[in-house]
Amino acid sequence: MIDTDEALPILPRELTDLPDAVRRVGPPQIPDIDAPYAARLVDPDTDAEMISEWMNLPHLAQAWEYAWPPERWRLYLKAQLAGTFSRPFLTSRKGEDIGYVELYRAAKDSIATRYDAHPHDLGMHAAIADTKLVNRGIAPLMLPRLLKDMFAREPECRRVMFDPDHRNIGARRLVEYVGCSFLGEHRMANRTMALYVFPRTPEDVPAHK
């Protein structure tokens, strides 16, 4: 059991040695998706149990490796909300919660060591909880709407990054389908990622290191 009075955990991918231009950038903005979809900021106290239940489902436990109990999720969500690195939110369809998404500042993330990052770059991790909706065309419909709104809310953002595990064929096909450019496979501390970018303009495709 995690002690509820312990300090909030350090987010494992967040970089701490940052140039001032990166450090000064605020947290990601929560998108406002067109109906019938919607997005809202996570409430750790009321949403942690549901997110924990989702992330312990076999398809998400394998893809995310975050099959944690509710209390650990509550602390992890609070740690995100306490800083400027990332923001967790829930997506819904026709008023029903269907997915969990994290937006993060890519220049503050470990992936920044693998490409030419800009301070306002965003990164995204997303999960659809309901297995009845997986591979049913929901993600290809929702993701372009998310990307459109993210660029509208973040005028200085040049690109959105995706970093699925190199073995996650479904996620790779999705980001390729919506038009992301591939920046190669990169060995990280605990995995090999496939790095992708969705640029605001073709000129915003970065070089990888």
Side-chain angles (χ1 to χ4, degrees):
M1 179 69 67
I2 296 175
D3 184 355
T4 57
D5 295 325
E6 70 179 75
L8 294 178
I10 296 173
L11 302 176
R13 293 175 42 148
E14 183 178 11
L15 301 178
T16 56
D17 185 12
L18 299 171
D20 289 342
V22 174
R23 191 184 306 279
R24 287 194 298 264
V25 177
Q29 301 296 305
I30 302 304
D32 182 13
I33 320 168
D34 293 338
Y37 304 101
R40 67 173 177 85
L41 193 67
V42 162
D43 182 332
D45 292 322
T46 60
D47 294 325
E49 187 168 349
M50 178 180 68
I51 295 171
S52 172
E53 181 180 343
W54 287 355
M55 290 298 178
N56 279 273
L57 295 172
H59 72 293
L60 294 183
Q62 180 181 23
W64 278 65
E65 299 181 348
Y66 282 16
W68 303 334
E71 184 55 29
R72 182 171 177 182
W73 264 104
R74 187 183 71 82
L75 292 173
Y76 175 68
L77 295 169
K78 287 193 173 215
Q80 292 187 69
L81 296 172
T84 62
F85 170 55
S86 62
R87 285 292 180 268
F89 64 94
L90 293 172
T91 56
S92 61
R93 179 175 179 265
K94 298 180 179 179
E96 180 182 357
D97 291 328
I98 62 171
Y100 172 77
V101 180
E102 290 176 1
L103 289 184
Y104 62 93
R105 289 295 179 193
K108 300 180 181 181
D109 186 273
S110 58
I111 70 169
T113 63
R114 299 298 189 268
Y115 82 104
D116 186 15
H118 180 271
H120 289 268
D121 286 352
L122 289 169
M124 179 189 294
H125 300 135
I128 294 179
D130 191 338
T131 55
K132 296 189 298 293
L133 299 178
V134 175
N135 298 323
R136 295 299 178 90
I138 298 296
L141 285 173
M142 184 181 291
L143 184 54
R145 300 182 189 207
L146 274 171
L147 292 167
K148 178 182 177 182
D149 190 78
M150 289 160 65
F151 282 130
R153 288 177 173 267
E154 302 253 7
E156 295 184 82
C157 175
R158 295 182 180 178
R159 52 185 80 102
V160 179
M161 309 300 297
F162 298 88
D163 65 320
D165 186 279
H166 72 293
R167 299 163 296 184
N168 192 335
I169 302 301
R172 297 185 67 166
R173 286 176 176 168
L174 172 62
V175 297
E176 289 168 0
Y177 174 81
V178 301
C180 291
S181 297
F182 181 48
L183 299 183
E185 294 185 359
H186 303 267
R187 182 64 193 166
M188 306 300 284
N190 63 336
R191 66 192 179 105
T192 298
M193 71 169 176
L195 187 61
Y196 289 87
V197 57
F198 189 90
R200 183 184 290 270
T201 69
E203 293 74 23
D204 291 323
V205 175
H208 58 274
K209 298 178 180 177

